[in-house]
């Protein structure tokens, strides 16, 4: 049983999507994350075990290796794609409520800003951490964030900005959210953002990279449990 | 004010896969099988989809104010801050420039991302950035060439948003180039659309020189480019 999960985790970490995918070359014609997830369910491994013991730890390893500069963005993206192909098999269990994810995460690039690469990377790694991600896209103003929080009151919120000018809008959005939902946790990030700025505008957490955000969310969950 | 416009062909930029691989972080000898095919594919596609334009306008009689570290161009004052000021203060005229890779590459990047082909979307994005940088290099070389006859030299190029120069000053900068050949739209928040665009200033004069732009000048610590370089070292 463990063997399936170990293999699955290995495929995710190394970006092996499915049997036909050519990458990595040394795993040619072998089962990928797609097939292994399917087979794991078939032999009776529980979906939450697959999530907890293969998908999440594999993506955490990938995120940590990226933070430590051992791998680059392309490898991280390939791992995410492999993770996605396994996750597809778990989706029906999420929908039926049989398997629960860690929580919800709302993310968007703030108004006046159209950059989405960084935001997408963060969204993808948080999804790989076992969260349901609600991606509001780019150029998102306070109103749209507030509406999404109304719909998902327990969600944690992430804001991304790439210019110092749009960072100003980040401040407006944080203020608006905290006014209406004082307990909402807000994460901020993007090239010009710093911890100092995060504190100044009353946001809860800043991370220069996606893994820091995943770790922070993990902490929040264990705090909520206790 | 004299203005020159350029429409570059993708092949003029001489962007090859190894340059893109370096930007992605790969060092010599490292396996890059994951990306090399995709890069080739997107570079080939880029030949058709890029709409690479550049434009500069030269302004004479500019005034430098050492106290405020600012420069006055056509009655418009720019607070370029210490670092950029230091680089261009000996100029007797300046070129203001705009440059874009066009819209399509960004559209394709977003589309690939939406279809969950994240790696492809990312490589489109990185190639788009390299295109606009390479185009700006070419434009800069053209400007340099045009100065040869008069014995004048040029500085490196500097952009609002770098080295403490407020990115919002782009609004004034765009006003200096009313016939926007590159068709770049500037949003209220000073973001250029298409995203793969750059703007800035270049100093011109007999006593100026072009210094390379290094990570040492920049104060951004968590930069992917710095990451790539640190790893190399
Ligand atoms: C490549 C690049 C460009 C390219 C493409 C831009 C693009 N993004 O498409 C080009 C050459 C076109 C360009 C142009 C400009 N650029 Co530029 N550019 C960069 C550069 C070097 C990398 C950006 C990038 O793509 N990073 C890769 C992605 C994956 O990283 P990321 O978006 O930052 O996201 C990561 C983290 O920030 C974090 N993160 C992001 N969001 C979130 C959210 C949360 C919640 C969390 C936890 C984490 C998180 O996780 C991500 C993954 O690690 C940065 C410097 C840098 N190293 O960041 C400057 C930078 C963004 N540019 C800058 C500037 C100023 C400009 C220009 C205004 C210059 C000019 N006047 O021409 C223009 C503006 C363009 C426009 N459309 O308006 C400044 C912005 C700061 C400021 N002063 O406002 C920067 C920071 C450089 C600097 N040293 O100051 N640029």
């Amino acid at each position: 049983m463990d063997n399936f999960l170990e293999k699955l985790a290995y495929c995710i970490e190394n970006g092996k999507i499915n049997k036909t995918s050519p990458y990595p070359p040394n795993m040619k014609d072998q089962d990928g994350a797609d097939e292994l997830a399917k087979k794991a369910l078939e032999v009776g491994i529980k979906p939450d075990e697959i999530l907890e013991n293969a998908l999440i730890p594999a993506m955490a390893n990938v995120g940590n290796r990226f933070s430590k500069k051992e791998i680059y963005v392309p490898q991280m993206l390939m791992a995410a794609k492999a993770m996605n192909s396994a996750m597809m098999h778990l989706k029906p269990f999420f929908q039926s409520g049989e398997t629960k994810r860690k929580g919800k995460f709302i993310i968007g690039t703030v108004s006046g800003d159209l950059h989405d690469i960084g935001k997408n990377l963060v969204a993808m790694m948080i999804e790989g951490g076992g969260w349901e991600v609600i991606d509001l896209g780019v150029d998102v103003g306070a109103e749209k964030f507030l509406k999404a929080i109304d719909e998902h009151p327990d969600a944690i919120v992430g804001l991304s900005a790439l210019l110092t000018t749009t960072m100003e809008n980040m401040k407006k959005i944080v203020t608006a959210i905290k006014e209406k939902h004082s307990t909402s946790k807000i994460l901020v990030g993007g090239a010009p953002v710093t911890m100092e700025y995060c504190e100044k505008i009353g946001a809860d957490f800043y991370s220069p990279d996606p893994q820091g955000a995943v770790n922070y969310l993990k902490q929040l969950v264990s705090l909520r449990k206790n | 004010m004299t203005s020159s416009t350029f429409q570059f062909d993708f092949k003029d930029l001489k962007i090859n896969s190894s340059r893109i691989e370096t930007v992605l972080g790969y060092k010599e000898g490292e396996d890059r099988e994951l990306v090399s095919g995709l890069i080739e594919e997107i570079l080939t596609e880029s030949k058709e989809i890029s709409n690479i334009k550049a434009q500069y306008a030269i302004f004479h009689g500019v005034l430098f104010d050492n106290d405020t570290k600012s420069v006055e161009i056509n009655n418009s004052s720019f607070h370029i801050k210490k670092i950029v000021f230091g680089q261009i203060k000996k100029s007797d005229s300046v070129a203001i420039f705009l440059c874009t890779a066009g819209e399509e590459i960004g559209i394709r990047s977003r589309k690939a991302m939406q279809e969950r082909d994240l790696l492809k979307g990312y490589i489109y994005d990185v190639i788009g950035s390299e295109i606009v940088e390479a185009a700006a290099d070419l434009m800069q070389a053209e400007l340099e060439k045009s100065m040869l006859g008069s014995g004048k030299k040029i500085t490196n190029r500097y952009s609002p948003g770098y080295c403490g120069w407020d990115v919002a000053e782009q609004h004034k900068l765009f006003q200096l180039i009313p016939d926007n050949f590159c068709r770049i739209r500037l949003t209220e928040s000073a973001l250029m659309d298409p995203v793969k665009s750059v703007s800035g200033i270049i100093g011109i004069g007999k006593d100026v020189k072009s210094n390379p732009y290094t990570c040492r000048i920049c104060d951004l610590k968590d930069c992917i480019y710095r990451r790539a370089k640190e790893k190399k070292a």
Side-chain angles (χ1 to χ4, degrees):
Chain A
M1 197 150 96
D2 278 352
N3 197 17
F4 265 116
L5 296 184
E6 257 170 45
K7 270 196 194 153
L8 175 56
Y10 185 85
C11 284
I12 293 174
E13 277 182 54
N14 290 281
K16 176 73 177 169
I17 300 160
N18 55 30
K19 200 163 188 159
T20 55
S21 56
Y23 183 85
N26 62 349
M27 293 179 79
K28 214 172 155 233
D29 299 326
Q30 290 176 26
D31 278 348
D34 183 10
E35 291 85 4
L36 286 167
K38 189 161 171 269
K39 286 183 183 166
L41 286 169
E42 278 165 10
V43 301
I45 303 180
K46 292 243 156 26
D48 23 320
E49 263 178 74
I50 299 178
L51 184 68
E52 282 295 332
N53 300 333
L55 271 55
I56 295 176
M59 288 308 282
N61 266 346
V62 169
N64 286 327
R65 289 178 64 199
F66 178 74
S67 299
K68 282 194 262 165
K69 306 175 188 181
E70 288 171 13
I71 58 169
Y72 313 120
V73 175
Q75 286 114 314
M76 184 160 86
L77 293 176
M78 239 13 220
K81 205 169 168 185
M83 186 271 301
N84 257 316
S85 69
M87 193 78 99
M88 289 309 285
H89 297 285
L90 304 184
K91 288 251 155 97
F93 300 95
F94 297 145
Q95 268 148 18
S96 71
E98 193 181 327
T99 304
K100 295 242 175 321
R101 278 180 276 199
K102 307 255 175 227
K104 290 178 180 167
F105 184 72
I106 298 169
I107 190 166
T109 299
V110 301
S111 38
D113 207 325
L114 304 171
H115 296 93
D116 60 357
I117 297 286
K119 172 204 64 124
N120 291 346
L121 288 182
V122 174
M124 174 202 93
M125 291 304 286
I126 287 179
E127 193 176 3
W131 292 73
E132 180 180 349
V133 173
I134 298 136
D135 187 343
L136 302 179
V138 297
D139 197 9
V140 186
E143 231 162 85
K144 204 166 165 190
F145 275 107
L146 288 174
K147 191 162 162 271
I149 302 171
D150 285 339
E151 282 165 29
H152 312 278
D154 289 334
I156 291 161
V157 186
L159 311 180
S160 179
L162 217 96
L163 293 180
T164 40
T165 39
T166 58
M167 225 162 81
E168 289 292 312
N169 297 338
M170 192 173 246
K171 181 175 164 188
K172 288 182 199 146
I173 295 168
V174 171
T175 310
I177 295 177
K178 290 284 182 184
E179 246 167 44
K180 202 164 164 212
H181 303 267
S182 60
T183 56
S184 286
K185 293 283 180 205
I186 308 172
L187 276 69
V188 292
V193 183
T194 58
M195 190 49 127
E196 203 188 339
Y197 188 74
C198 163
E199 281 165 9
K200 198 177 123 195
I201 65 173
D204 298 282
F205 190 72
Y206 158 79
S207 167
D209 58 37
Q211 195 53 34
V214 176
N215 293 343
Y216 176 73
L217 294 189
K218 217 161 118 187
Q219 266 180 28
L220 283 183
V221 172
S222 55
L223 281 178
R224 275 186 190 173
K225 273 191 193 146
N226 295 332
Chain B
M1 197 249 292
T2 50
S3 176
S4 305
T5 60
F6 306 89
Q7 174 93 42
F8 295 121
D9 210 53
F10 178 77
K11 66 175 192 313
D12 298 336
L13 307 181
K14 303 207 165 43
I15 298 178
N16 56 22
S17 343
S18 79
R19 170 164 171 180
I20 304 299
E21 286 159 9
T22 308
V23 176
L24 292 176
Y26 290 92
K27 295 181 297 180
E28 229 176 282
E30 266 181 349
D31 177 51
R32 50 198 72 186
E33 185 148 0
L34 171 59
V35 293
S36 50
L38 252 182
I39 294 176
E40 284 298 339
E41 186 189 311
I42 295 176
L43 285 179
T44 309
E45 206 180 313
S46 299
K47 286 187 190 107
E48 265 109 63
I49 64 169
S50 324
N51 188 4
I52 309 160
K53 291 180 169 168
Q55 171 175 27
Y56 64 71
I58 296 176
F59 297 87
H60 303 287
V62 289
L63 300 167
F64 289 93
D65 182 348
N66 195 33
D67 293 334
T68 56
K69 301 288 181 251
S70 57
V71 54
E72 197 181 304
I73 307 164
N74 252 18
N75 299 320
S76 194
S77 178
F78 293 85
H79 296 273
I80 55 181
K81 298 283 160 76
K82 200 173 87 198
I83 296 170
V84 180
F85 187 88
Q87 297 294 327
I88 67 171
K89 66 182 178 198
K90 289 182 180 156
S91 316
D92 50 48
S93 45
V94 297
I96 299 295
F97 70 87
L98 297 178
C99 189
T100 184
E103 202 160 37
E104 188 60 26
I105 197 143
I107 293 174
R108 299 220 179 173
S109 168
R110 236 163 293 139
K111 186 159 166 278
M113 285 263 169
Q114 268 156 15
E115 288 165 359
R116 295 223 144 213
D117 200 342
L118 301 169
L119 181 55
K120 194 168 184 182
Y122 179 64
I123 292 180
Y124 271 120
D125 185 83
V126 169
I127 290 181
S129 301
E130 283 309 296
I131 290 177
V132 64
E133 287 292 351
D137 285 343
L138 270 190
M139 174 215 63
Q140 199 170 319
E142 290 292 336
L143 174 66
E144 191 170 17
K145 248 192 307 189
S146 76
M147 291 298 148
L148 283 176
S150 63
K152 286 185 182 173
K153 286 176 293 202
I154 67 169
T155 67
N156 206 339
R157 60 175 183 274
Y158 298 93
S159 294
Y162 278 80
C163 305
W165 182 6
D166 186 357
V167 68
E169 292 218 330
Q170 277 192 114
H171 288 291
K172 285 186 274 177
L173 200 131
F174 269 64
Q175 275 163 20
L176 291 177
I177 307 190
D179 59 326
N180 186 336
F181 170 76
C182 295
R183 297 191 177 269
I184 300 170
R185 202 176 64 89
L186 193 66
T187 67
E188 209 187 301
S189 55
L191 185 87
M192 289 180 278
D193 183 14
V195 169
K196 299 303 175 192
S197 302
V198 290
S199 68
I201 190 168
I202 299 173
I204 303 167
K206 286 207 159 57
D207 295 326
V208 302
K209 62 175 189 211
S210 180
N211 292 318
Y213 190 83
T214 61
C215 290
R216 221 153 33 88
I217 302 183
C218 177
D219 50 6
L220 203 70
K221 296 293 169 269
D222 287 306
C223 173
I224 45 161
Y225 291 82
R226 191 189 289 268
R227 283 174 62 121
K229 280 188 187 132
E230 274 175 3
K231 217 191 149 210
K232 248 177 262 169

